[in-house]
Amino acid sequence: MNLKNRLFWIAAFTAFFLDQLTKYWIVQTFKLGDTLPLIPGVFHFTYVTNTGAAFSLFSGKVEWLRWLSLGVSLVLVALGLFGSMLSRWDQLGYGFILGGAMGNGIDRFVLGYVVDFLDLRLINFAVFNIADSFISIGIVCLLIASFQKTPTTPRRR
């Protein structure tokens, strides 16, 4: 079987697996609110829950966010399965976004909240997780892909 957009599926699985593995480790190792300074005052592991979107936006809106995560995931799966062959950067971008959306979506459906633990204190950043990181990396990949595309229609002078 020759799977189209193979890098897309590898990226999605990797992002999803690493997200779920790290969240499982945090939940099994920490109590809610516990923090472990890796670089004191700069970077900590801090176990918190988030009923909103990335960076606690729309806090308490877990009901519609779970459906948004599912919708985004289904659209991206359809793109990977039925869409045309994607460029390498598009495959990475959409795959990482799919993996992140699925990771946070599973949390929202199963737990009713998202597990967050990456705590950048140096810049007083919101606590986030691996899924959020992969979604952000995916967006950067799509931006790179957009700069590499050439215009399809010639410009009129």
Side-chain angles (χ1 to χ4, degrees):
M1 180 176 139
N2 189 9
L3 185 63
K4 182 172 61 169
N5 293 315
R6 183 176 306 211
L7 190 56
F8 167 85
W9 299 109
I10 292 168
F13 175 78
T14 301
F16 177 76
F17 178 76
L18 289 175
D19 175 65
Q20 292 297 294
L21 182 68
T22 55
K23 289 173 179 174
Y24 177 80
W25 176 76
I26 287 294
V27 169
Q28 296 302 313
T29 308
F30 290 72
K31 291 181 182 150
L32 190 60
D34 281 356
T35 188
L36 171 66
L38 298 175
I39 304 171
V42 176
F43 181 66
H44 295 218
F45 283 161
T46 303
Y47 175 22
V48 298
T49 59
N50 177 1
T51 58
F55 316 119
S56 297
L57 295 173
F58 311 112
S59 190
K61 307 292 186 196
V62 72
E63 186 61 37
W64 75 268
L65 285 170
R66 70 174 50 146
W67 296 108
L68 178 64
S69 294
L70 179 62
V72 166
S73 297
L74 290 174
V75 166
L76 291 173
V77 165
L79 176 71
L81 287 174
F82 306 115
S84 60
M85 185 65 185
L86 299 169
S87 74
R88 175 174 281 128
W89 285 109
D90 281 334
Q91 286 186 57
L92 284 172
Y94 289 125
F96 287 152
I97 292 169
L98 173 59
M102 286 176 45
N104 284 341
I106 292 288
D107 283 8
R108 289 186 183 104
F109 273 98
V110 173
L111 304 172
Y113 54 85
V114 173
V115 172
D116 286 333
F117 62 93
L118 299 173
D119 187 2
L120 286 172
R121 294 187 174 190
L122 181 66
I123 56 175
N124 197 23
F125 202 69
V127 180
F128 59 103
N129 59 42
I130 299 294
D132 299 329
S133 300
F134 274 112
I135 291 169
S136 298
I137 292 167
I139 291 168
V140 170
C141 290
L142 293 177
L143 286 172
I144 292 169
S146 73
F147 288 121
Q148 290 186 340
K149 293 179 180 157
T150 57
T152 55
T153 56
R155 291 185 181 177
R156 292 184 180 204
R157 293 179 194 223

